[in-house]
Amino acid sequence: MTPDSELQAAWRDGARALREGRAAEALGLFSKITAAGQAPSTVWIGVAMAYRALADRVQELAALQQALSLEPRDIRVLIMVADNHAAANDARAAGAYYSTAVKIAAATTGLDRGLDAEVARAQQMLENYAAGYGDHLLDSLGGTTLAQPEARRMSRALDLMLGKSELFLQKPTSFYFPELPNIEYADRAQFPWLDKVEAATDDIRTELMRVLEEDAAFSPYVEADPNRPFFDGHGMLGNPDWSAFYLWKAGAPVPENAARFPATMAALEDAPLCRVPGRTPSILFSLLRPGAHIPPHHGFMNARYICHLPLIVPDGCAMRVGSETRAWSEGRACVFDDSIEHEAWNRNSDQLRVVMIFDIWRPELTAAEQDMISTVLQAVDAYGMGAAADATL
């Protein structure tokens, strides 16, 4: 067995030789340590650096793999392996190692500050590869323009594949109906009855303006139920920054309010409103005051779509549903699944944003399924009420 003093001397002299550009000599010294079977990862890194100086990429990679077998989460070695593959024009392998190094660095507290520049370089290499990879995939489509309507879903699939967007799934707070497509914004063309609603925009806005003149007409959108616990994690409980004026609420009309909106109610005559007595439909005007932000949240079920008709939309207003953010356009309706995480904001400094909101059944549901959903949710709401009523007699 080689004495430890000789191995330490070999490491010291080999490191000096490497620094001074004597790579072959350094390899000879390092080989004394590796032959003794006592080489830590630092020695294998030295071997790899010597082989790199000698332009022997194959032996360099073999040494780096030895180092990784001892320290598989060593960020510096992972980046060196990535560089080796990059030099060999193996973009897929290089990207995999750069990506692993960046992920480990992001999850590491107290990262060695000396690694910051290397991690930043790895991130840049990843972005370069992603751009090239994206171009390669687009080329495979033979010039198909992803902006074309028939390529809409393919475009979103590529964005997910390339990490340009995040996958958001339906996560309703109360009721999930299986096998409904996970769609953030529905295709407006699927709802021809919205033509009538959009055509009435000016009349609806005129009716709205009369109500907006009354300070007390709108009330906070989020209100507590005195019979239920409520934890205001979003800071919106009782907050007038997000306010509402209802024509229908919880499945029933608000007669005095609906009477003031005859043009609005006429425009909605053909809408396939989601009808669950005690819950839906709701038809309301949603008001966001200047600077207001509705935090990310989920709706109570995925068996419906939410429809917006934008009526007053100043600059700085938008809504994100899942991975897609859209600005509202006055008079142009949008339809979305509110069981997918969504948020909205009015970043205008001095103007209100108001949209009309109503909910409709998902078109994939049969009439029988709609009836069953309505029946079950009514049964949920009725459960325990009889016993409570008897106790008060």
Side-chain angles (χ1 to χ4, degrees):
M1 179 178 292
T2 306
D4 288 346
S5 59
E6 290 186 25
L7 297 179
Q8 291 171 4
W11 170 244
R12 182 185 64 248
D13 295 340
R16 181 185 301 113
L18 189 60
R19 289 194 301 270
E20 295 175 355
R22 293 177 281 119
E25 183 180 339
L27 273 178
L29 291 164
F30 292 153
S31 66
K32 293 181 180 180
I33 307 173
T34 58
Q38 300 181 47
S41 63
T42 51
V43 171
W44 286 111
I45 293 171
V47 172
M49 293 174 67
Y51 276 123
R52 177 178 295 187
L54 295 170
D56 189 337
R57 293 287 180 179
V58 173
Q59 291 300 327
E60 175 197 349
L61 181 58
L64 289 172
Q65 294 293 2
Q66 289 284 355
L68 276 185
S69 69
L70 297 169
E71 298 287 347
R73 297 176 64 84
D74 188 312
I75 296 170
R76 192 182 303 278
V77 176
L78 287 165
I79 293 175
M80 291 177 69
V81 173
D83 290 341
N84 183 284
H85 286 297
N89 294 318
D90 188 344
R92 292 184 65 180
Y97 281 98
Y98 284 132
S99 177
T100 301
V102 169
K103 289 177 181 176
I104 292 175
T108 301
T109 56
L111 184 68
D112 181 359
R113 294 184 63 85
L115 281 174
D116 288 347
E118 282 296 278
V119 172
R121 183 175 64 83
Q123 180 63 52
Q124 184 60 57
M125 291 296 291
L126 275 177
E127 292 172 7
N128 295 342
Y129 282 136
Y133 185 41
D135 291 342
H136 169 74
L137 295 178
L138 287 175
D139 290 344
S140 74
L141 295 174
T144 300
T145 302
L146 293 181
Q148 295 174 351
E150 61 268 25
R152 178 183 60 85
R153 291 194 291 181
M154 189 67 238
S155 178
R156 295 198 59 207
L158 287 177
D159 283 347
L160 288 167
M161 187 176 184
L162 295 171
K164 294 181 180 179
S165 65
E166 184 179 348
L167 179 62
F168 289 86
L169 301 177
Q170 297 167 338
K171 294 182 179 179
T173 60
S174 301
F175 181 79
Y176 176 79
F177 195 84
E179 299 180 20
L180 292 177
N182 196 82
I183 297 171
E184 295 170 354
Y185 284 96
D187 184 357
R188 162 66 179 82
Q190 294 180 352
F191 309 96
W193 52 266
L194 274 173
D195 294 345
K196 181 178 179 180
V197 179
E198 291 178 337
T201 296
D202 290 341
D203 293 335
I204 296 171
R205 188 188 293 111
T206 297
E207 293 177 338
L208 169 68
M209 295 306 293
R210 299 191 190 105
V211 173
L212 283 175
E213 295 172 358
E214 304 174 17
D215 291 340
F218 281 73
S219 58
Y221 186 93
V222 181
E223 299 175 317
D225 182 341
N227 296 318
R228 297 289 186 276
F230 188 90
F231 300 96
D232 186 20
H234 299 309
M236 300 307 296
L237 178 62
N239 189 339
D241 285 350
W242 183 20
S243 294
F245 181 86
Y246 286 88
L247 308 186
W248 277 58
K249 186 174 185 179
V254 183
E256 63 273 22
N257 291 349
R260 302 174 66 179
F261 285 80
T264 302
M265 298 309 300
L268 292 170
E269 286 176 345
D270 298 329
L273 298 175
C274 179
R275 297 186 181 275
V276 180
R279 290 183 180 250
T280 68
S282 289
I283 303 172
L284 65 140
F285 296 93
S286 171
L287 179 154
L288 270 187
R289 300 190 187 279
H293 175 218
I294 302 172
H297 62 287
H298 299 82
F300 85 94
M301 74 169 177
N302 67 324
R304 64 175 183 174
Y305 274 140
I306 302 297
C307 302
H308 279 190
L309 179 68
L311 298 167
I312 302 174
V313 185
D315 292 337
C317 295
M319 176 173 64
R320 177 186 67 83
V321 181
S323 60
E324 186 173 356
T325 298
R326 293 185 183 181
W328 291 281
S329 180
E330 292 183 4
R332 296 183 62 183
C334 65
V335 181
F336 67 97
D337 183 346
D338 77 327
S339 73
I340 296 173
E341 182 185 274
H342 59 289
E343 62 181 319
W345 54 86
N346 177 4
R347 293 174 182 158
N348 194 280
S349 60
D350 55 11
Q351 297 182 59
L352 299 172
R353 183 237 63 177
V354 184
V355 299
M356 181 173 73
I357 300 178
F358 56 98
D359 47 351
I360 61 171
W361 286 111
R362 288 284 298 250
E364 300 88 353
L365 296 173
T366 66
E369 288 173 327
Q370 294 173 12
D371 287 344
M372 287 186 284
I373 292 170
S374 179
T375 297
V376 166
L377 290 179
Q378 289 178 75
V380 169
D381 293 338
Y383 180 73
M385 296 299 292
D390 292 342
T392 63
L393 296 177

